[in-house]
């Protein structure tokens, strides 16, 4: 199990002033692709599919609100999570992505305090188990949006993610603590 | 020795098979198994598909029906037994004596294992299950030393299976009422210990506060490894100060005593953690596969790299090296 890398503060600061508007369409498309390619997620989510989940990358200047409703799923970028959101899941971006692609264990991240969970724990477990079983591959699921260019897109996206991990792994983040 | 690995989902089962398990154990998505958690477990179709996947790699699938049937509602447990047999399960892991009786009478050719939840911890108790119901393997409670396991294994006419990694329960297998005292639900009756519906976590200025129902279970200072919010691993305030009374929040890791367990005649080694992710399954199963392969050829085992996956980021040999009596 790899240690949890944190994005350099330079990236966080660079992203800070950028508007969130341009993110919304790509986020929506990626979520629809994930849902279309992994429809069994909803069987495991059950009643929790109708809840809202706040996803808070601790090394990004914005957060996400996920509403995995079977008919109208939505993923929206927000400056800060709305008050009263039923679930808050916070941690480094690459830890959150690692929970999705199966490279990290959620309980281990919780034990190491890299992952913070607040709110409806039952919904959190259902989401975690549904995603872990589905075998979501964000790179492949995103690349699938590009039709015949999917193989090329997948290579480019995988390379970009690898580069991001390299940058994060090499970064010295003040106060950062790996969990192994 | 066989490596018996947890599978909370079909994906976890495939991961266990691919990582080197000799057998995977799993359960249905209801109160018949002791990991009845949200989003976890198998439908009937998923179990059949999982068994087919495992069998293609010569890996066995054991189905845990290891909670205690509720009076008047035994049909749920009987149906689980029937459906697991129909799906082609290689063995059923059962705790309740009535359910074992049902399985033995209804499916006389089905291989039966006695669950750890049955708490059979001496040759007389185990012998009863073997003689009366034809039980072929007993999963021993986590209260025994290696020498006690060796003595039991010599004295009984069935195989023994012991836990080697993962969560530890308070030492009253099958009889713990701590969770039901607080939440009304228990692992033995409902398949859930400290159910998520009763758990809350709160960050208070870097301190993590975990609560179960109306009780604060623990407060973890900034940077301090966290643990599950179970009463048995709660930190209690007493007149002598605060501390752990029942158990420390640590995981079992018996990698260091695998040679001793083999010498004791143990047939199978069990990894706990059906509630854990594919990443856990991959890491732990592959790690122990390497340990066992090295043991088989007399090589020095690879370094244990599983500390990051343990509860509280800490491990113990538990009762295997009992030093408190």
């Amino acid at each position: 199990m790899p240690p949890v890398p944190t994005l350099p503060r330079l990236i966080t600061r660079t992203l800070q002033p950028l508007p969130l508007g341009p993110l919304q369409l790509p986020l929506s498309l990626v979520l629809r692709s994930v849902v279309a390619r992994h429809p069994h997620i909803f069987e495991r989510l059950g009643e929790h599919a109708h809840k809202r989940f706040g996803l808070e990358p601790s090394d990004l200047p914005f957060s996400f609100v996920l509403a995995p409703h079977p008919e109208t799923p939505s993923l929206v970028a927000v400056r800060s999570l709305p008050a009263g959101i039923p679930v808050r899941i916070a941690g480094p971006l690459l830890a959150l992505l690692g929970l999705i692609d199966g490279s990290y264990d959620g309980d281990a991240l919780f034990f190491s305090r890299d992952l913070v969970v607040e709110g409806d724990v039952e919904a959190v477990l259902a989401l975690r188990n549904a995603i872990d079983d589905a075998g979501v591959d964000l790179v492949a699921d995103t690349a699938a949006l590009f039709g015949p260019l999917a193989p090329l897109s997948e290579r480019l996206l995988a390379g970009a993610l690898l580069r991001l991990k390299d940058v994060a792994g090499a970064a010295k983040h003040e106060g950062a603590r790996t969990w192994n | 020795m066989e490596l018996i690995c947890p599978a909370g989902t079909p994906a976890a089962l495939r991961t266990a098979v691919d990582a080197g398990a000799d057998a995977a154990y799993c359960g249905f998505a209801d109160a018949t198994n002791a990991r009845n958690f949200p989003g976890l477990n198998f439908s009937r179709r998923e179990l059949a598909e999982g068994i087919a996947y495992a069998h293609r790699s010569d890996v066995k699938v054991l189905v845990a029906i290891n909670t205690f049937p509720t009076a008047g509602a035994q049909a749920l447990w009987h149906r689980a037994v029937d459906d697991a047999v129909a799906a082609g399960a290689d063995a059923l892991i059962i705790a309740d004596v009535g359910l074992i009786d049902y399985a033995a009478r209804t499916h006389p050719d089905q291989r039966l294992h006695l669950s750890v939840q049955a708490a059979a911890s001496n040759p007389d108790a185990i012998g009863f299950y073997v003689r009366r119901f034809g039980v072929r393997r007993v999963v021993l409670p986590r209260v025994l030393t290696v020498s006690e396991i060796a003595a039991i294994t010599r004295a009984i006419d069935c195989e023994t299976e012991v836990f080697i990694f993962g969560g530890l329960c308070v030492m009253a297998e099958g009889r713990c009422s701590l969770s039901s005292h607080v939440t009304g639900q228990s692992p033995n009756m409902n398949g859930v210990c400290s159910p998520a519906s009763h758990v809350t976590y709160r960050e208070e200025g870097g301190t993590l506060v975990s609560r179960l129902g109306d009780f604060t279970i623990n407060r973890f200072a900034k940077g301090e490894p966290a643990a599950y919010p179970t009463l048995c691993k709660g930190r209690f305030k007493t007149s002598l100060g605060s501390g752990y009374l029942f158990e420390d929040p640590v995981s079992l890791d018996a990698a260091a005593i695998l040679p001793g367990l083999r010498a004791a005649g143990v047939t199978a080694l069990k990894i706990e953690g059906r509630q854990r992710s594919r990443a856990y399954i991959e890491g732990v199963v592959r790690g122990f596969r390497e340990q066992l392969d090295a043991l088989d050829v007399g090589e020095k085992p690879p370094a244990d790299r599983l500390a990051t996956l343990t509860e509280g980021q800490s491990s113990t040999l538990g009762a295997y090296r009992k030093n408190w009596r």
Side-chain angles (χ1 to χ4, degrees):
Chain A
M1 298 283 288
V4 179
T6 307
L7 296 180
R9 286 194 170 177
L10 180 63
I11 291 183
T12 309
R13 289 190 187 124
T14 304
L15 294 173
Q16 182 87 45
L18 299 181
L20 299 181
L23 273 179
Q24 309 301 5
L25 181 60
L27 286 174
S28 180
L29 291 173
V30 169
L31 180 63
R32 283 182 197 176
S33 178
V34 169
V35 166
R37 287 162 60 92
H38 308 282
H40 295 309
I41 282 181
F42 296 111
E43 291 171 24
R44 291 195 174 273
L45 266 176
E47 62 184 292
H48 306 291
H50 298 275
K51 295 176 179 172
R52 288 185 307 147
F53 298 80
L55 312 175
E56 192 176 272
S58 53
D59 45 4
L60 284 183
F62 50 86
S63 302
F64 304 94
V65 175
L66 169 68
H69 191 284
E71 281 80 40
T72 55
S74 73
L75 179 62
V76 179
V78 293
R79 286 290 170 205
S80 59
L81 295 178
I85 193 158
V87 175
R88 173 177 170 258
I89 304 171
L93 174 67
L94 290 171
L96 299 180
L97 292 176
L99 285 174
I100 295 172
D101 70 19
S103 55
Y104 286 115
D105 176 70
D107 288 19
L109 290 174
F110 168 76
F111 296 149
S112 67
R113 308 288 297 275
D114 285 298
L115 191 70
V116 174
V117 169
E118 290 183 305
D120 187 337
V121 178
E122 204 171 22
V124 173
L125 287 188
L127 180 67
R128 190 273 308 267
N129 292 331
I131 288 176
D132 197 58
D133 180 59
V136 173
D137 182 339
L138 276 181
V139 168
D141 294 342
T142 304
L145 293 166
F146 295 91
L149 295 177
L152 175 63
S153 306
E154 187 168 345
R155 279 199 298 277
L156 292 173
L157 286 168
L161 182 59
L162 203 59
R163 180 72 187 128
L164 187 65
K165 287 178 179 175
D166 287 344
V167 169
K172 290 184 178 176
H173 180 72
E174 307 88 86
R177 181 182 53 81
T178 60
W179 52 288
N180 71 349
Chain B
M1 291 183 286
E2 295 175 23
L3 190 56
I4 315 296
C5 305
T9 64
L13 185 146
R14 294 191 295 273
T15 300
V17 169
D18 297 345
D22 293 305
Y25 65 101
C26 56
F28 290 123
D30 55 35
T32 63
N33 93 82
R35 286 289 182 274
N36 183 23
F37 294 174
L40 214 58
N41 297 312
F42 288 64
S43 66
R44 269 54 178 173
R45 175 183 56 78
E46 289 169 336
L47 179 65
E49 291 171 355
I51 289 173
Y53 183 89
H55 284 179
R56 283 197 288 276
S57 298
D58 280 334
V59 174
K60 295 182 172 64
V61 175
L62 321 178
V63 179
I65 308 171
N66 57 345
T67 51
F68 293 82
T70 312
Q74 299 99 314
L76 178 68
W77 280 261
H78 292 174
R79 198 162 58 246
V81 167
D82 297 341
D83 291 347
V85 173
D90 295 287
L92 308 184
I93 307 169
I94 303 179
D96 180 72
V97 68
L99 194 61
I100 293 175
D101 178 58
Y102 172 83
R105 280 189 292 104
T106 314
H107 307 284
D109 296 329
Q110 179 63 50
R111 183 181 173 92
L112 300 177
H113 293 182
L114 188 64
S115 167
V116 66
Q117 296 289 86
S121 55
N122 61 67
D124 289 344
I126 297 165
F128 169 75
Y129 288 101
V130 173
R131 288 190 306 275
R132 184 67 183 82
F133 306 113
V135 162
R136 306 279 291 279
R137 180 182 296 178
V138 56
V139 185
L140 292 176
R142 289 160 279 191
V143 298
L144 303 165
T145 63
V146 176
S147 58
E148 287 168 335
I149 290 169
I152 288 173
T153 302
R154 281 196 300 271
I156 61 176
D157 294 324
C158 74
E159 301 165 351
T160 50
E161 179 175 311
V162 300
F163 281 90
I164 54 168
F165 192 86
L168 278 171
C169 280
V170 72
M171 296 188 176
E173 306 271 23
R175 302 181 180 108
C176 179
S177 298
L178 289 174
S179 175
S180 54
H181 172 68
V182 175
T183 69
Q185 296 183 61
S186 75
N188 307 312
M189 303 304 291
N190 312 92
V192 282
C193 175
S194 310
S197 53
H198 292 66
V199 171
T200 54
Y201 298 114
R202 198 171 62 246
E203 287 279 321
E204 293 180 355
T207 297
L208 170 64
V209 181
S210 63
R211 290 176 63 82
L212 182 66
D214 295 331
F215 295 86
T216 296
I217 298 296
N218 215 329
R219 298 174 66 88
F220 301 99
K222 187 172 185 177
E224 183 183 8
Y228 289 128
T230 58
L231 253 183
C232 58
K233 291 173 182 172
R235 189 149 34 190
F236 291 81
K237 281 183 180 174
T238 73
S239 57
L240 300 175
S242 294
Y244 297 106
L245 291 182
F246 295 97
E247 283 190 282
D248 286 359
V250 299
S251 291
L252 174 70
D253 185 353
I257 59 164
L258 293 181
L261 293 172
R262 186 169 67 171
V266 167
T267 297
L269 306 169
K270 186 167 207 159
I271 296 167
E272 185 274 347
R274 279 188 284 150
Q275 75 283 12
R276 303 291 290 266
S277 69
R278 286 180 290 141
Y280 170 92
I281 306 293
E282 163 77 22
V284 178
V285 175
R286 204 169 287 286
F288 274 100
R289 181 80 272 158
E290 291 172 2
Q291 298 269 343
L292 289 175
D293 288 349
L295 192 63
D296 284 345
V297 296
E299 290 179 358
K300 186 181 175 199
D304 191 353
R305 301 185 297 268
L306 303 178
T308 56
L309 293 167
T310 55
E311 184 175 7
Q313 306 224 291
S314 181
S315 62
T316 176
L317 280 169
Y320 292 137
R321 281 199 188 146
K322 224 182 274 182
N323 56 10
W324 58 82
R325 71 173 188 189

